[in-house]
């Protein structure tokens, strides 16, 4: 499938503006799990693959799963191994990154993880400490990650919170970055959404025109029994 121009633009905005906002989360998880040489890591819904690049920089062998063809193409431009569906067969993985996953997306990826391997789920932290969902006027509610672990019949193995501020050079970059998340495409007309978002972001502008949106993310680690 060939990505549409709109999808390609959104994927570029994600890769160039938005994806780096989650680096503190990725690094905290990799530190917690001591990801390093010899580890095999599978990234579910990996986007343009920044988390995979960071893990590879630590010596891990990485594979990504990304259904969106535009984001998958960008990840492959970064010379990453990225497929459209979770791999079946072959050597199992030590770590599965599954940030904000649906049960339908998580289930087919779990068989690729070895027994005792780590599964990492993450989503927004407490709403009172997350500016972005407030600014966006709703959006998807954060998942109950502990319930997701229980539904998947995984064994809990710790959790943590990470400060992930979303910082942008200006309002235009903030709008493009937030729109690239794909979480709000169906909420209203894109032009109207951009207008409302521009207005909502003004209180978060700094004197130099940059935008600063503090957020906290929560992650949980579970093990495959």
């Amino acid at each position: 499938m060939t990505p549409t121009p709109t999808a390609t633009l959104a994927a570029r905005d994600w890769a160039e503006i938005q994806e780096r906002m989650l680096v503190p989360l990725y690094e905290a998880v990799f530190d917690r799990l001591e990801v390093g040489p010899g580890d095999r890591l599978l990234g579910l819904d990996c986007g343009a693959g920044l988390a995979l690049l960071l893990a590879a920089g630590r010596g891990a062998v990485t594979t990504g799963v990304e259904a969106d063809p535009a984001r998958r193409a960008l990840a492959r431009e970064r010379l990453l191994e990225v497929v459209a569906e979770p791999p079946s067969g072959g050597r199992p993985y030590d770590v599965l990154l599954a940030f904000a996953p649906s049960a339908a997306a998580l289930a087919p990826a779990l068989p690729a993880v070895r027994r005792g391997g780590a599964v990492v789920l993450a989503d927004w932290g407490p709403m009172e400490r997350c500016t972005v969902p407030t600014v966006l006027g709703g959006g998807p509610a954060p998942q109950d990650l502990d319930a997701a672990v229980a539904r998947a019949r995984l064994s809990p193995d710790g959790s943590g919170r990470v400060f992930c501020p979303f910082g942008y050079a200006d309002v235009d970059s903030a709008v493009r970055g937030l729109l690239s998340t794909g979480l709000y495409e169906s909420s209203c007309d894109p032009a109207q959404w951009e207008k409302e978002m521009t207005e909502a972001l003004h209180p978060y502008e700094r004197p130099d025109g940059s935008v600063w949106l503090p957020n906290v993310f929560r992650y949980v680690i579970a093990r495959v029994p």
Side-chain angles (χ1 to χ4, degrees):
M1 180 183 297
T2 302
T4 65
T6 300
T8 299
L9 179 60
R12 287 282 178 191
D13 284 344
W14 170 263
E16 296 173 4
I17 299 173
Q18 189 63 32
E19 192 174 26
R20 66 178 181 271
M21 308 301 175
L22 297 178
V23 166
L25 173 62
Y26 301 150
E27 295 285 18
V29 167
F30 295 158
D31 286 345
R32 179 78 172 259
L33 294 176
E34 299 183 342
V35 170
D39 289 329
R40 288 172 52 80
L41 185 145
L42 180 64
L44 187 62
D45 296 332
C46 70
L50 182 56
L52 302 182
L53 282 176
L54 295 174
R58 294 170 175 247
V61 176
T62 66
T63 301
V65 180
E66 177 54 58
D68 180 72
R71 296 191 184 194
R72 191 166 65 243
L74 288 177
R76 288 173 175 172
E77 287 181 12
R78 292 170 165 175
L79 304 182
L80 296 167
E81 179 184 356
V82 180
V83 295
E85 298 178 351
S88 59
R91 184 179 169 189
Y93 291 87
D94 303 295
V95 179
L96 172 64
L97 298 181
F99 299 141
S102 66
L106 181 60
L110 288 176
V113 185
R114 66 171 175 82
R115 180 174 296 180
V119 177
V120 184
L121 312 180
D123 210 332
W124 299 106
M127 286 295 97
E128 65 272 15
R129 298 186 63 187
C130 294
T131 308
V132 168
T134 302
V135 171
L136 293 175
Q143 292 193 56
D144 183 337
L145 299 177
D146 301 299
V149 167
R151 285 194 302 269
R153 298 184 178 180
L154 301 170
S155 302
D157 191 29
S159 64
R161 292 179 178 178
V162 183
F163 181 55
C164 288
F166 288 10
Y168 306 93
D170 49 40
V171 171
D172 178 67
S173 295
V175 171
R176 288 168 54 200
L178 293 169
L179 191 60
S180 76
T181 63
L183 297 175
Y184 308 93
E185 291 178 348
S186 62
S187 61
C188 64
D189 175 73
Q192 181 64 26
W193 189 93
E194 290 184 30
K195 179 179 181 295
E196 294 177 359
M197 177 55 55
T198 298
E199 295 174 355
L201 287 171
H202 283 314
Y204 301 93
E205 284 186 82
R206 291 178 162 183
D208 63 359
S210 63
V211 176
W212 186 254
L213 302 170
N215 301 287
V216 171
F217 279 75
R218 180 175 183 255
Y219 68 86
V220 300
I221 297 172
R223 298 283 173 176
V224 176

